[in-house]
């Protein structure tokens, strides 16, 4: 990230979740946001996302409430999508509660969609696995600090274990199933875009690449293709039912 910076009109550095407790600062942030939105609109963009968040979906919900008070589209800076990213820990998505965390974040967007008809869904722009112990044991991710350090695996990936029989491929399959299954009460898909973090041990992750060094699709890549294909087919069926 870019860190925290002073902003004229705000008593503390931004961005911070407690922004919403400082009305004067909120006005400053929203004024700047509207200027950014106007630039995007002038370049032909039709939709905005909320500022991207790692875990605090309440921040995004508060942002929607404030930014969309005057209208419900880009003309006044109203975001119609919620952007967030998600990482599991230490090749143990069950033990570390990562699957539950991901579901809770999708549910938070679902609640927003059901409260505000103009919210179209979530854009999950980064998904992957961090090579460190979970947040409860290790608030700051220190690479190779968990039970399954990447340095011990020949490919620097998740090894086969009880939770992930096929390593990262199992994780991808499960996450994509959750994406496809999460819908609003009236049947709308919550997730509208999903991007795997296709990098090799960048930012404290495992080797998350979808291709091996020789350029061939690996097991993780095959699982990603399978999951995306299945998700796409479910989307087509939904559109057909609506027609």
């Amino acid at each position: 990230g870019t860190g925290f910076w002073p902003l004229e009109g705000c008593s503390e550095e931004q961005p911070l979740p407690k922004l919403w407790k400082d009305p004067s600062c909120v006005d400053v942030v929203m004024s700047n946001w509207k200027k950014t939105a106007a630039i995007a609109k002038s370049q032909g963009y039709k939709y905005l996302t909320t500022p991207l968040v790692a875990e605090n979906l309440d921040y995004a919900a508060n942002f929607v409430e404030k930014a969309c008070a005057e209208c419900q589209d880009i003309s006044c800076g109203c975001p119609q999508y919620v952007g967030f990213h998600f990482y599991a820990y230490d090749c143990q998505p069950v033990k570390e509660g990562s699957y539950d965390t991901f579901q809770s974040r999708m549910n938070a967007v679902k609640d927003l969609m059901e409260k505000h008809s103009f919210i179209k869904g979530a854009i999950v722009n980064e998904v992957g696995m961090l090579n460190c112990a979970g947040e409860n044991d290790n608030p700051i991710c220190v690479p190779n600090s968990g039970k399954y350090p990447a340095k011990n695996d020949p490919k620097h990936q998740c090894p086969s274990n009880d939770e992930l029989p096929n390593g990262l491929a199992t994780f991808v399959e499960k996450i994509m199933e959750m994406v496809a299954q999460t819908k609003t009460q009236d049947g709308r898909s919550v997730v509208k875009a999903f991007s795997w973090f296709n990098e090799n041990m960048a930012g404290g992750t495992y080797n998350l690449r979808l291709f091996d060094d020789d350029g061939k699709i690996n097991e993780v890549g095959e699982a990603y293709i399978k999951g995306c294909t299945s998700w796409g087919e479910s989307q087509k069926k939904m559109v057909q039912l609506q027609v």
Side-chain angles (χ1 to χ4, degrees):
T2 58
F4 300 106
W5 299 89
L7 180 63
E8 186 175 352
C10 294
S11 60
E12 297 188 51
E13 294 179 340
Q14 295 299 321
L16 288 176
K18 52 188 175 182
L19 159 68
W20 311 110
K21 296 181 179 179
D22 184 347
S24 296
C25 185
V26 170
D27 291 340
V28 171
V29 170
M30 285 300 159
S31 175
N32 290 336
W33 172 262
K34 290 179 184 296
K35 293 176 183 176
T36 301
I39 294 172
K41 186 175 184 296
S42 72
Q43 297 300 310
Y45 290 95
K46 296 181 179 180
Y47 304 104
L48 301 171
T49 73
T50 60
L52 297 174
V53 296
E55 60 180 47
N56 193 338
L57 270 294
D58 287 341
Y59 183 96
N62 285 327
F63 198 94
V64 167
E65 295 290 345
K66 189 66 177 180
C68 303
E70 298 176 7
C71 77
Q72 286 76 53
D73 57 42
I74 194 173
S75 65
C76 67
C78 175
Q80 292 179 289
Y81 292 90
V82 178
F84 70 89
H85 58 256
F86 168 76
Y87 288 88
Y89 291 89
D90 197 23
C91 305
Q92 301 182 91
V94 177
K95 178 179 179 295
E96 296 292 345
S98 299
Y99 289 141
D100 291 339
T101 296
F102 185 55
Q103 188 63 61
S104 69
R105 291 180 190 170
M106 289 192 292
N107 287 346
V109 178
K110 177 176 73 71
D111 291 343
L112 266 178
M113 293 172 69
E114 291 173 347
K115 181 178 182 181
H116 301 293
S117 60
F118 59 86
I119 297 294
K120 298 181 179 295
I123 293 179
V124 190
N125 75 316
E126 287 183 24
V127 179
M129 182 74 70
L130 289 173
N131 171 32
C132 54
E135 289 180 297
N136 291 333
D137 300 320
N138 194 29
I140 298 176
C141 182
V142 177
N144 297 306
S145 61
K147 182 178 180 180
Y148 298 103
K151 66 180 182 180
N152 291 350
D153 186 81
K155 294 184 178 181
H156 301 140
Q157 297 180 342
C158 286
S160 172
N161 60 33
D162 291 342
E163 293 190 20
L164 302 177
N166 294 318
L168 282 171
T170 302
F171 176 67
V172 170
E173 290 173 359
K174 175 62 176 178
I175 287 292
M176 294 306 299
E177 287 176 5
M178 295 171 67
V179 165
Q181 292 171 0
T182 303
K183 305 179 187 299
T184 61
Q185 292 183 359
D186 59 2
R188 289 172 292 152
S189 291
V190 169
V191 177
K192 296 303 193 295
F194 179 101
S195 299
W196 178 254
F197 191 66
N198 181 35
E199 295 287 347
N200 184 9
M201 301 180 72
T205 66
Y206 289 85
N207 174 9
L208 304 178
R209 291 181 300 174
L210 305 175
F211 299 84
D212 289 330
D213 291 336
D214 59 7
K216 293 182 179 179
I217 298 175
N218 58 31
E219 290 183 350
V220 182
E222 293 289 355
Y224 192 48
I225 291 172
K226 178 182 177 182
C228 288
T229 300
S230 177
W231 179 35
E233 290 174 349
S234 70
Q235 295 294 298
K236 290 179 181 178
K237 291 178 181 178
M238 183 181 304
V239 171
Q240 291 172 351
L241 289 174
Q242 292 174 345
V243 174

